[in-house]
Amino acid sequence: MNKKPEIELNTPAGDEVKQTTCYMCACRCGINVHIKDGKVRYIDGNRNHPVNKGVLCGKGSAGIMQHYSPARLRAPMKRVGPRGSGEFEEISWDEALDIATGWLSKPRNTDPHKLAFFTGRDQSQSLTGFWAMQYGTPNFAAHGGFCSVNMAAGGLYTFGGAFWEFGDPDWEHTKYFMLFGVAEDHASNPIKIGIGKLKKRGAKVVSVNPVRTGYNAIADEWVGIRPGTDGLFVGALIHELFRNQTVDLDYLVRYTNAPWLVIQDKGAADDGLFARGENGNPLVWDSNTGDFGDGTSADISPSLTGSRKLADGRTARPVFELMAERYLGDEYSPEAVAEQTGLKAEDIRSIAAELADVAFKQEVVIDQPWTDWAGRKHDKMIGRPISMHAMRGISAHSNGFQTCRMIHILQILLGSIDCPGGFRYKPPYPKQAPPWLRPHGKEDQVKANVPLGGPHLGFPLGPEHLLIDEECASRIDKGFTWDAPMSAHGLMHMVINNAATKDPYGIEVLFMYMANMAWNSSMNVKGTIDHLTAKDENGNYMIPKIIYSDAYYSEMVPYADLILPDTTYLERFDCISLLDRPISEADMAADSIRYPVVEPDRDVRGFQEVLIDLGARLGLPAFTNKDGSPKYPGGYSDYMVNHERAPGIGPLAGWRGKDGEKSVRGEVNPNQIEKYIENGSFFAHHLKPEQAYFKHANQSYLDWAADMGFREDKKPTIFQLYCEPVQAFRLAAQGHGDRQPPETHRARIEKYFDPLPMWYPPFEEDMIDQAKYPLHAITQRPMHMYHSWGSQNAWLRQITAANRLYVHTSVAAGINAKDDDWVWLTSHQGRVKCQIKVMEGVNPHTVWTWNAIGKRKGAWGLDDDAPETNQGFLLNHLISELLPEGGGGYRYSNSDPITGQAAWYDLRVSIEKAEDTGATEPMFEPLKHGSQPASPTKLAYGKEFKRGKK
Amino acid sequence: MHPAYSVILFTTASGAGYGLLFWMALAETFGVLPGGRALSLAALTFSLALITLGLLASTLHLGRPERAIGALSQWRTSWLSREGVAAVATYVPAGLLGLSWLIYLHNDLFHLVAALAAAGAAITVYCTGMIYGSLRTIRQWNTPLVPLFYLAAAASTGALLFGLIYSLFGYSTPLLEFLLLCLVAVSGAVKLTYWRQCDADKGQYTAEMATGLGAWGKVRPLDPPHTMPNFVMREMGYQVGRKHAQKLRRLVVLFLFAGPMLALALSALTGAGVFFWYLLAFLMTVVGIVTERWLFFAEAEHVSMLYYGAERA
Amino acid sequence: MTTLPQTTEKKLGLVIDLDICVGCQACATSCKEWNTGGYSAPLSDHDPYGGDPSGAWLNRIHSYELGEGAAGRTVHFPRSCLHCEEPACVTVCPTGASYKREEDGIVLVNPDTCIGCKLCSWACPYGAREYDYDDGVMKKCTLCVDRIYNETLEEEDRVPACVRACPTGARAFGDLGDPDSEVSKNVAAREGFNLLEEFGYKPTNKYLPPRMKTSAHVSPEPARKSAPVSAGNGSMVEKLFAWADQKLSR
Ligand SMILES: Nc1nc2c(c(=O)[nH]1)N[C@H]1C(S)=C(S)[C@@H](COP(=O)(O)OP(=O)(O)OC[C@H]3O[C@@H](n4cnc5c(=O)[nH]c(N)nc54)[C@H](O)[C@@H]3O)O[C@H]1N2
Ligand SMILES: Nc1nc2c(c(=O)[nH]1)N[C@H]1C(S)=C(S)[C@@H](COP(=O)(O)OP(=O)(O)OC[C@H]3O[C@@H](n4cnc5c(=O)[nH]c(N)nc54)[C@H](O)[C@@H]3O)O[C@H]1N2
Ligand code: SF4
Ligand code: SF4
Ligand code: SF4
Ligand code: SF4
Ligand code: SF4
Ligand SMILES: [Mo]
């Protein structure tokens, strides 16, 4: 018998630990990077971090392979072959920056419209947006327009917050949690931590989702709804609450516009607007005085019912009545919606009854006095422990804005916004509803060499805020036009299309950052590629210059003329700012940084550094000193510390003031970055216990938020059950006001701009032959992959190297197919060949697949025989960026009519069996890959760390 | 189970080698080994070469062949270790036997050495069989018929080799051919019984037991852990189509049993061209035994496949 | 060595809650990341960027569908070595490289003596052994033996990498031999079970079953048939308004 081996139990994880912020997805968890011999040995979660509290997801834990990916770009590159060829020459940074400066200065000196600057999965919009403002182009947005603007806008217009990153369920106190259309979401780890807590506590989790996987698999009740019909389902829940008289009337009176009086005067220019008093404030009926009162006043007893005669003799009715009438209508009864949603009426009833039971019989009471905005003291915080969360299953439909608003109405009727057990805002939210920002970029605001007067994106209150001039769009993406009047995040998915067809106008330079537009983030991939390579009659590219920053050799790289190679997330400074999309949690305002924890071994630079450098070279005022020298010679970290947006307010909120003793607002502190690094690369300002809930109406919170610059004033946020700006657009469509939609748009705007949320069928299914395309086709994010960029990761791609189309047992039986058989999936746009996997836990009218697994040959450092390229497929080939031609010959973008959000999940398809040719279709030409090195055929990462075996 | 060629070569070649050694040593024990010293030495060398070839082949299967010596240490619990020990140990009496022939040492003591060599050969083959026979994870292997067949197959292939070699030098009797025929018949019978038993046993373990989730109904895999096959799936999940397996089984019956038996019978009956018949029988046996061994692995189903979609195992 | 200890002082192991696991793969990749540079270094990958990528992983996540239709269920199912009390993966090993520790029950492979004969993988009914083609030796879950006693780590970090990472809290680590440990109590309360109990290897790791449909905390009254207030006998709308008036004027 041999001896029991001696094993080393006390080997340190590494030589040193550096704490920074993960960026394998947009969740932005705190990480400890263990470094050994100058290499990354291990990454785990930072226990003190507000986002992930120590845990890490499947992607974050594979960070090593992301960081050492062979697909990393190595140096700046200049295109030498035709666009799309992938023929590049590596150049120096000096040359690259010279070229970029040359290309960018002309539009700035002549017509800033000629630059379109769009950023994808970026988290530095406070810099990129500011840079674009300084440049003076109206053409800036990030990817929100094709991502989730329905959720952001739906929430912000309703209650000054949103599901989308701006709030969280109260995981500690919730007793009943409803999850609508979520597979993973941005709050990747927080949702997992939260759901884990709920399940352990025995709270009920209800998932509303056509597919039963992931979070939805562990729900206590799975509501396998037919895609696009959530508005009917939620409408029926509201119907039941009204029918059973289980709504929180006090809450409605106190916090919402339910008592506000709406003018009822068909045909009048103010029909459907609020009746307002002399001071412009909305009127309510005060049952104390028996007279009209100021709807924003605290000292009255507003009535929720009763039609009133206004001073001018016209009638006005409270929002509550209009709302009750709508949802008590027969079309929202559980029986009426059962067939279309695919749900049973009795199930809908029982969920409504459960909601009411939990909300009203199982209140959560926290012994914490607080004072509301009107100075009224409350000795406890009392909550209705119902929380909800929703994301792209709702937003990625052309009825998403209205459906999202309807879910918020359900929450509000139950009294569960920012109360114990309900949905909680994360600072800097709540904002006013809608936030005070208006879009900038009207014709008269865009001038050569002059910065734009304000931010590009905002929240129009009516036609007067549209960015149109003589009906011509000011923005290349036609944001804030009649096509999508409330497109608060722009329409990135239309930029390439519009620029290539010079509609509304042609541009000189397309500047993009971190968006794989030639593949998985485009609808109609082939069409987008054609647009990127389209030439005019003289043989010049319709989009003359394309500058692109990526960190990896993605499918988009070959379509750019100049490549600015970014670092990986472990090699650069980043700033996750309260001015942008911060990492706050419900009871803290928080932001964070990234700093280089390993040195780049390639000739690459952080994009933000490059942008600041370009700003100085172009002479943009905010990036240059009076003498023309760069204002931030130290690059991005210099900017993070020294830039001030308003006095005392800069990119970072922590350790401000000379000695770092001030939070959120304070003078510049030269040692700020060191403080962040010492604290694990994040800063958190904890709210006081009395500020924890009812933030929309909590005096202490409102005072603080206003002081910090988060809010315009200390007035409460009043929930807008009835959304007046929407009605303002409808009135224009009805022929009122001096800015009206053109004829082609009138009917559409009148129909869909309903100030009270309603359901309508998604556009695609309404316009195509449903018998021909009987199935819905949707995608889900795999938890272990981030869009396209997970497939270059040697570990993650072992988990999923190819995707299948998941179909219901009955669908498979219908075409006599079994697991792994090949099928053709056809939409009105095109067809895709793929393999199926049969399952039970999917709505029978729905097929689905994992998103962005399919890859193009030649990209991502993968071999040509990679499963990703041969069996992996994208649904994007089937999704059209334009709707079928409707009446009048106009083809609208395949988007929500209100916000312009891309309607990815409206897709309808038919399925038939296909021949097994062993490969997916469409199959594109393999991309050449410049001078990227060949990828290794074997990996033994960690061998070098083995004790004594260096 | 994945049929690795190194293991197939190992078990078949060393099996035949031990079989040959066994019969020679047994004959020597009883003093009935025909032929002269030279022939004995040559045949012994041949058997040891086969054995060594097999053992070397088996090390090809190892990830760290240079550490193979360590495999002799765990004979208390491990059949593989026992096999190794037995194999090494058998070289001693076999070597001494050779030595005795080489230096004309012929006394009773060497009958004992020969007996030890025969026993060593049999034990080694039994151990080889038990490496497989002891694995409860593979129902097709976990039966006494497995070591029994390993013994029978080694005995018959070794005996055939014995017959072949000695017939080349004119030593053959119909009696031997008849005994050999019986031996092949016995091993054929063992194999057929084995197949019948395997086919009747649908497996006592289910996917529901493996996952413990039977209370919810039938368990079906939705997504495997990894898209492409991993080690466990490659090693344990090898599958051979039913039709294909049936074809191969018929081939085994023909080449490993029926064919050689016929050749032996014809040889015994005709008494002419004995070497030719032996050669024919032997060549058929080679094809037969390799096919049999391939099937032995390929048809074996591992319990762990319950996690990868097998319904029973 | 390959003789199994009669008893072990502790029975360290994992408890996996199938009611909570969402199949996020965090435990799988954090395991890979820790172990490729740790005791088992490296966990090699073959054809990592090619047509047939595969590698050594010590923890893998399956997903299964159970039952039919809406009454069925999808379950994510992490699977690693279960550190069985009576496993043949140890006794079949010819070299003694495979062994079960007497002090805590952890089943380990000694990477310095393993000859890579793969026999132990054949003896494991759970498919929990992972041969490293490149390294030529067998690898398996070590229960992160180089973490759980590691004095260079913070005390609360002395848990397996997979447990440390798991975002939902579906994994727990502890002494299943001690009936008073957290894990043992939870197993008792939730009727934790053994995988393939019938096989008889006595796994240490336990699994907690998915809960049958719960409506804990929720006991709705049957939906009210009629309005609880006397006023307003007309339509649903009128009844609602009457109720609201009455309620607010109180
Ligand atoms: N069918 C279908 N299509 C969809 C969706 C869907 O649900 N279904 N979802 C849509 C949505 S919501 C979104 S947000 C988009 C997302 O789609 P994209 O925005 O295209 O996202 P990714 O593919 O993850 O990455 C974009 C690019 O960023 C690069 N990158 C990664 N890290 C860095 C870095 O550190 N620096 C730089 N400069 N570049 C980097 C990657 O290499 C990649 O080329 O996809 C959309 N497309
Ligand atoms: N791991 C990982 N995390 C990510 C990303 C990633 O790529 N990978 N991407 C990030 C990005 S950019 C975004 S936008 C978020 C998006 O995060 P999610 O909102 O979780 O996005 P999806 O994966 O598109 O999930 C949409 C879900 O809605 C369901 N669904 C589709 N149609 C309907 C419907 O009509 N009704 C209902 N109720 N459900 C429906 C789908 O089945 C799916 O489960 O995730 C972010 N987080
Ligand atoms: S969720 Fe995962 S990938 Fe995203 S930031 Fe957090 S650890 Fe990184
Ligand atoms: S699970 Fe397998 S490898 Fe682990 S102890 Fe049990 S039998 Fe051995
Ligand atoms: S592979 Fe290694 S650990 Fe497994 S049985 Fe063989 S020698 Fe033992
Ligand atoms: S205990 Fe350690 S080795 Fe085992 S599965 Fe977990 S992380 Fe992997
Ligand atoms: S980390 Fe946790 S939730 Fe994720 S797959 Fe592993 S056990 Fe399940
Ligand atoms: Mo997104």
Side-chain angles (χ1 to χ4, degrees), chain A residues 187-263:
Chain A
S188 170
N189 278 328
I191 292 179
K192 292 188 187 73
I193 299 170
I195 292 186
K197 275 187 190 157
L198 299 191
K199 294 285 295 184
K200 283 188 184 164
R201 262 210 344 260
K204 179 157 180 177
V205 176
V206 177
S207 108
V208 184
N209 199 308
V211 189
R212 191 184 61 199
T213 56
Y215 302 154
N216 306 293
I218 65 165
D220 301 291
E221 185 163 348
W222 172 55
V223 181
I225 198 163
R226 188 169 74 82
T229 63
D230 299 71
L232 286 174
F233 168 59
V234 176
L237 293 176
I238 297 175
H239 177 101
E240 283 298 291
L241 295 183
F242 278 137
R243 190 177 71 82
N244 292 321
Q245 296 156 11
T246 44
V247 293
D248 192 339
L249 296 177
D250 291 328
Y251 190 88
L252 292 181
V253 169
R254 196 170 298 162
Y255 302 127
T256 77
N257 68 6
W260 293 7
L261 293 166
V262 180
I263 297 166

Side-chain angles (χ1 to χ4, degrees), chain A residues 867-886:
Chain A
E868 286 90 339
T869 65
N870 293 294
Q871 284 94 48
F873 66 98
L874 295 183
L875 281 189
N876 299 51
H877 304 301
L878 301 181
I879 306 175
S880 174
E881 75 278 30
L882 296 174
L883 286 169
E885 213 170 273

Side-chain angles (χ1 to χ4, degrees), chain A residues 1-5 7-13 32 41-45 47 54-58 60-65 68-70 175-176 189 192-193 196 199-204 212-215 217-222 239-240 242-247 249-250 253 302-305 317 320-321 324-325 328 349 353-354 357-358 361-362 783-784 792 794-799 801 838-841 861-863 865-867 935-943 945-946 949, chain C residues 1-3 17-26 28-30 32-57 65-76 95-97 99 101 103 108 110-113 134-135 145-147 149-153 156-157 159 161 164-170 211-225 227-229 236-237 239-245 247-248:
Chain A
M1 250 203 246
N2 47 7
K3 282 215 326 279
K4 182 188 143 190
I7 58 179
E8 181 56 69
L9 298 177
N10 289 307
T11 313
N32 308 322
R41 151 74 177 92
Y42 182 56
I43 301 175
D44 58 7
R47 284 193 194 273
V55 303
L56 222 53
C57 81
S61 302
I64 292 179
M65 287 297 125
Y68 294 110
S69 158
K175 294 186 184 169
Y176 197 96
N189 278 328
K192 292 188 187 73
I193 299 170
K199 294 285 295 184
K200 283 188 184 164
R201 262 210 344 260
K204 179 157 180 177
R212 191 184 61 199
T213 56
Y215 302 154
I218 65 165
D220 301 291
E221 185 163 348
W222 172 55
H239 177 101
E240 283 298 291
F242 278 137
R243 190 177 71 82
N244 292 321
Q245 296 156 11
T246 44
V247 293
L249 296 177
D250 291 328
V253 169
S303 178
L304 285 177
T305 54
R317 299 181 66 197
F320 182 79
E321 283 203 0
E325 279 173 5
L328 278 174
R349 280 224 176 75
E354 287 181 357
D357 184 77
V358 175
K361 302 230 173 93
Q362 304 186 35
M783 290 186 186
H784 53 280
Q792 66 187 311
W795 296 343
L796 297 180
R797 73 182 287 263
Q798 287 182 51
I799 299 170
V838 184
M839 74 184 287
E840 284 277 300
L862 300 181
D863 297 350
D865 63 349
S935 299
T937 56
K938 237 196 231 181
L939 284 179
Y941 196 85
K943 203 170 188 166
F945 301 140
K946 209 161 179 179
K949 291 186 185 161
Chain C
M1 244 1 274
T2 47
T3 331
D17 190 343
L18 298 178
D19 194 48
I20 296 184
C21 173
V22 295
C24 71
Q25 305 277 353
T29 55
S30 64
K32 176 106 173 159
E33 198 174 53
W34 173 262
N35 286 293
T36 198
Y39 174 85
S40 307
L43 297 178
S44 313
D45 299 295
H46 273 250
D47 205 14
Y49 304 101
D52 192 13
S54 72
W57 294 67
E65 277 201 301
L66 326 174
E68 313 296 322
R73 167 114 199 190
T74 311
V75 170
H76 304 286
T95 61
Y99 64 106
R101 283 157 54 95
E103 57 268 53
L108 281 183
N110 180 350
D112 296 330
T113 55
D134 195 41
D135 214 13
V145 67
D146 51 352
R147 288 184 65 89
Y149 300 111
N150 194 329
E151 284 165 16
T152 71
L153 299 178
E156 54 183 346
D157 285 342
V159 293
R164 168 88 167 77
C166 176
T168 60
R211 291 187 177 94
M212 294 285 168
K213 232 183 185 182
T214 62
S215 42
H217 286 311
V218 182
S219 49
E221 287 177 7
R224 286 192 201 110
K225 286 276 160 5
V229 284
M236 280 193 288
V237 174
K239 282 181 188 158
L240 176 74
F241 293 172
W243 169 73
D245 280 346
K247 196 118 204 249
L248 284 178

Side-chain angles (χ1 to χ4, degrees), chain A residues 22-29 31 55-60 188-189:
Chain A
C22 185
Y23 190 36
M24 286 187 62
C25 86
C27 182
R28 304 157 299 178
C29 302
I31 48 174
V55 303
L56 222 53
C57 81
K59 298 157 277 159
S188 170
N189 278 328

Side-chain angles (χ1 to χ4, degrees), chain B residues 63-64 67 71 74 77-78 136-137 209 211 216 218 220 222-223 225-226 230-231 234-235 302 304 307-308, chain C residues 2 54 57 60-65 67 79 91-92 94 96 111-112 114-116 122 124-125 131 135 196 199:
Chain B
R64 297 293 190 121
R67 299 177 180 170
Q74 303 302 310
T77 62
S78 165
R136 288 205 287 117
T137 42
M209 291 175 186
T211 56
W216 293 83
K218 191 118 199 65
R220 298 175 304 275
L222 183 59
D223 272 330
H226 291 191
N230 55 32
F231 160 69
R234 277 181 237 252
E235 185 77 1
H302 195 276
S304 63
Y307 294 99
Y308 289 92
Chain C
T2 47
S54 72
W57 294 67
R60 295 177 187 265
I61 322 302
H62 299 250
S63 64
Y64 299 106
E65 277 201 301
R79 200 178 41 77
T91 50
V92 298
D112 296 330
C114 170
I115 57 172
W122 295 1
C124 169
Y131 182 65
D135 214 13
L196 207 62
F199 201 80

Side-chain angles (χ1 to χ4, degrees), chain C residues 136-166:
Chain C
V137 296
M138 196 54 75
K139 310 243 159 123
K140 65 178 292 300
C141 163
T142 65
L143 212 62
C144 286
V145 67
D146 51 352
R147 288 184 65 89
I148 57 177
Y149 300 111
N150 194 329
E151 284 165 16
T152 71
L153 299 178
E154 304 270 331
E155 187 151 359
E156 54 183 346
D157 285 342
R158 291 178 209 155
V159 293
C162 56
V163 176
R164 168 88 167 77
C166 176

Side-chain angles (χ1 to χ4, degrees), chain B residues 261-306:
Chain B
M261 279 162 69
L262 189 66
L264 291 169
L266 286 173
S267 168
L269 289 176
T270 60
V274 180
F275 176 71
F276 165 77
W277 292 118
Y278 268 116
L279 187 65
L280 186 66
F282 179 72
L283 290 177
M284 285 193 286
T285 300
V286 170
V287 176
I289 191 78
V290 169
T291 312
E292 180 279 328
R293 215 39 62 87
W294 188 90
L295 263 182
F296 174 73
F297 286 96
E299 283 195 293
E301 291 168 350
H302 195 276
V303 171
S304 63
M305 285 304 111
L306 292 174

